[in-house]
Amino acid sequence: MPSVELTLDVAAPADRVWAAVVDIERYPESMKNVRWVEIREQLGPDERRSGWSIVLKGSILEWEEREDLDHENRIMSFHQLSGDLDIFDGRWVVEEKGPELTAVSFHVRFEIGIP
């Protein structure tokens, strides 16, 4: 199964970076491929359901996912509940490297469902 892992160092405090990562409804403002994101249901203080629409290589992909937020460790895990891909899940990890330096990692595994 294909997977992607990316890590980026950001010159900002970890708490500020974490706030940006979990503010998914603002992703379209800074990610040109994200058409829209909406939080559909807050399942608890650390769980929610969201809907997504993105453009990937000229095709629109849409799905609904569940997100689990571990605020203490700054990890947001996600798992597709329904949508265009067979499998789509992963996590964002925010790690403090210094007072003004933070590593942000994105890990995803997916299966598009085409033999």
Side-chain angles (χ1 to χ4, degrees):
M1 176 177 323
S3 64
V4 174
E5 295 190 25
L6 304 166
T7 301
L8 175 68
D9 286 340
V10 178
D15 287 340
R16 194 167 92 200
V17 174
W18 174 246
V21 166
V22 299
D23 191 4
I24 61 173
E25 290 180 311
R26 294 192 65 184
Y27 282 17
E29 296 173 19
S30 60
M31 298 178 188
K32 68 179 181 174
N33 291 15
V34 178
R35 296 176 63 224
W36 54 262
V37 181
E38 66 181 10
I39 296 173
R40 294 190 171 158
E41 182 179 10
Q42 194 70 43
L43 302 168
D46 301 324
E47 309 170 61
R48 62 189 181 196
R49 209 172 37 85
S50 61
W52 292 74
S53 180
I54 67 164
V55 176
L56 181 65
K57 296 196 178 246
S59 297
I60 295 174
L61 296 177
E62 295 185 339
W63 69 91
E64 185 171 278
E65 69 184 34
R66 176 189 165 134
E67 296 151 2
D68 295 299
L69 308 170
D70 178 347
H71 296 286
E72 183 177 335
N73 294 301
R74 298 186 188 105
I75 299 171
M76 180 173 71
S77 303
F78 56 90
H79 175 76
Q80 177 184 271
L81 299 171
S82 63
D84 292 334
L85 298 171
D86 278 356
I87 297 171
F88 183 73
D89 59 24
R91 68 189 178 283
W92 288 89
V93 179
V94 175
E95 296 178 89
E96 183 175 12
K97 294 177 81 174
E100 291 291 325
L101 185 61
T102 303
V104 181
S105 299
F106 177 72
H107 311 268
V108 65
R109 68 183 191 105
F110 59 94
E111 184 62 54
I112 60 173
I114 298 173

